[in-house]
Amino acid sequence: MVAGIFSIIMSKTNLKSLSKDEMFDFTVSHGLPRYRADQIIHRIYEKYASSIDEITEFSKELRKALEELAFISCIRIVKRLVSSDGTEKFLFSLDDGRLIESVLITDKNRLTLCISSQVGCALGCRFCRTGKLGLTRNLKSHEIVDQVIAVNRILAEPDVITSRAHLAKDKDGVFLPRKITNIVFMGMGEPLMNFDEVVEALWKIVIFTGISRRKITLSTAGILPKLPLLPQQAPEINLAVSLNATTEASRSGIMPVNRKYPLAALIGACEKFPLGPGRRITFEYIMIKGVNDTPGDARRLVKLLRGLRCKINLIPLNHDGPDGLRPSSEKNILEFQEILDLNKMTALIRRSKGGDISAACGQLASPQL
Ligand code: SAH
Ligand code: SF4
């Protein structure tokens, strides 16, 4: 009996797994006009419907008939933590019980969601707690997009806890609509190690949620074979590269992936990366005491990145960095930045938010994984 029910569920179509064309094909192949596909898309991605019953444009009979054929999968929220700075962390459970985290960062009139692309990560960077977990599995594209839908659904609730103090008001003093405006792939996982699903998720986000591709950033540790494929296959989003060191030896010491895809080749791939007008690559550089923070490192960084259209984010290591790594001193960080400034490089110091709820960069590591 259980097996019988399971096979029925398995044969149903998950509407969230469908692209726009597939949604049209699905409705047309079941004798429904194309506008029905638009109605389903609107309900799922703009009204955050979690069941077919919520597609109220459809008559009761039609909803019943659709329920025989299809369902709407939903990641489930397990825990929600709010930081003293307004940052929020969401722990989600997937269909198979695996857990992932997403982080919502409130900043003036921006609501940025930091999303996960994998359960864990295989790359094992020494400074990163996600890396300590190893990889459990890749996320499907709909599980990636569902983080956006789930948080938007929460934000649309009238009793939302999120600190509104940071948000802009319109001219009448009314808070602006509560909806995610920006997305960063900086949560759990290495997006380019889950390339196909991430590319599909990017298209779904751009086409279905209305978030502009200019407001989406993918961060990678530098998976070289995939880097040139990104602009060929994905919408034109922003690229961030986790650089974190200026010599092959020091980068390999903290990022084992550097032994396979070395720094020199990574910079070469960035030089070839096509950039539209006004676009720049962001290089992320975690400042770690005694590892990568000397004036010599700063000068080598200038040399490495000279001629590249880029900006550099200097990120003091989050305090709970594993393996006894410590953040650079404030003095070292400022001196490092000054050398970059003097050499006409754009370098900002980025302080992680949400430290008190382990929501900051590199701190995402669900306990049950
Ligand atoms: N795997 C991708 C994206 C997820 S990691 C990547 O590595 O780029 C997202 C960002 O968090 C990366 O820039 C990474 O360098 C940063 N990060 C990881 N651990 C950190 C830590 N302990 N302190 C500060 N930033 C960290
Ligand atoms: Fe993976 Fe990125 Fe963490 Fe490195 S920094 S272990 S690539 S998630």
Side-chain angles (χ1 to χ4, degrees), residues 54-286:
E54 289 175 51
I55 309 179
T56 45
E57 290 88 347
F58 284 27
S59 69
K60 253 201 160 104
E61 296 73 50
L62 193 49
R63 275 181 267 163
K64 259 213 131 42
L66 188 57
E67 267 167 6
E68 300 296 314
L69 301 168
F71 68 103
I72 298 173
S73 72
C74 281
I75 56 173
R76 275 185 317 106
I77 177 149
V78 176
K79 209 182 203 176
R80 176 172 173 196
L81 294 169
V82 185
S83 157
S84 54
D85 64 17
T87 303
E88 290 189 47
K89 185 163 82 165
F90 301 90
L91 180 66
F92 290 111
S93 165
L94 308 173
D95 277 351
D96 60 0
R98 305 275 186 224
L99 297 169
I100 52 162
E101 295 182 329
S102 318
V103 178
L104 181 69
I105 304 142
T106 310
D107 173 25
K108 294 201 192 91
N109 52 358
R110 263 191 319 208
L111 275 178
T112 303
L113 191 68
C114 174
I115 58 177
S116 297
S117 56
Q118 298 183 306
V119 184
C121 179
L123 299 190
C125 300
R126 265 185 69 201
F127 45 78
C128 174
R129 283 181 65 196
T130 309
K132 298 276 163 221
L133 299 170
L135 177 68
T136 303
R137 73 166 172 88
N138 282 331
L139 295 189
K140 304 296 288 180
S141 70
H142 63 83
E143 292 171 322
I144 299 171
V145 182
D146 224 7
Q147 298 166 63
V148 184
I149 299 175
V151 174
N152 267 340
R153 188 177 168 114
I154 291 166
L155 291 170
E157 289 166 6
D159 63 338
V160 69
I161 313 168
T162 316
S163 156
R164 292 176 171 229
H166 308 267
L167 291 174
K169 295 176 185 175
D170 70 9
K171 58 180 173 21
D172 302 319
V174 176
F175 286 106
L176 292 170
R178 309 300 324 271
K179 221 174 164 187
I180 293 160
T181 58
N182 295 56
I183 291 187
V184 292
F185 280 73
M186 294 185 189
M188 298 166 77
E190 167 49 51
L192 297 190
M193 293 291 277
N194 184 16
F195 187 80
D196 293 345
E197 296 294 330
V198 164
V199 167
E200 211 175 305
L202 285 167
W203 283 113
K204 282 183 177 156
I205 291 169
V206 168
I207 292 172
F208 292 146
T209 72
I211 297 172
S212 152
R213 56 196 169 76
R214 294 198 153 261
K215 300 198 166 164
I216 303 174
T217 301
L218 181 146
S219 175
T220 177
I223 309 303
L224 289 188
K226 299 295 180 192
L227 215 46
L229 302 181
L230 192 65
Q232 289 170 18
Q233 296 184 24
E236 193 192 1
I237 49 151
N238 303 305
L239 178 70
V241 174
S242 292
L243 198 66
N244 301 330
T246 58
T247 66
E248 302 291 353
S250 66
R251 193 164 192 267
S252 295
I254 49 174
M255 299 181 72
V257 68
N258 194 67
R259 290 188 209 119
K260 193 159 184 196
Y261 306 123
L263 181 59
L266 175 58
I267 298 295
C270 291
E271 280 162 353
K272 290 198 200 101
F273 195 85
L275 290 171
R279 300 273 187 142
R280 290 192 283 184
I281 297 178
T282 302
F283 287 98
E284 295 155 296
Y285 196 96
I286 303 177

Side-chain angles (χ1 to χ4, degrees), residues 321-368:
D323 276 11
L325 300 176
R326 307 300 310 153
S328 306
S329 68
E330 191 64 22
K331 184 170 160 281
N332 274 17
I333 295 174
L334 291 173
E335 276 172 16
F336 198 98
Q337 186 190 29
E338 199 184 346
I339 295 172
L340 301 178
D341 272 352
L342 287 172
N343 284 280
K344 312 227 173 331
M345 320 241 22
T346 312
L348 298 171
I349 300 172
R350 287 291 165 116
R351 316 229 170 238
S352 289
K353 289 189 162 190
D356 56 342
I357 54 166
S358 285
C361 299
Q363 283 184 247
L364 301 187
S366 327
Q368 295 88 333

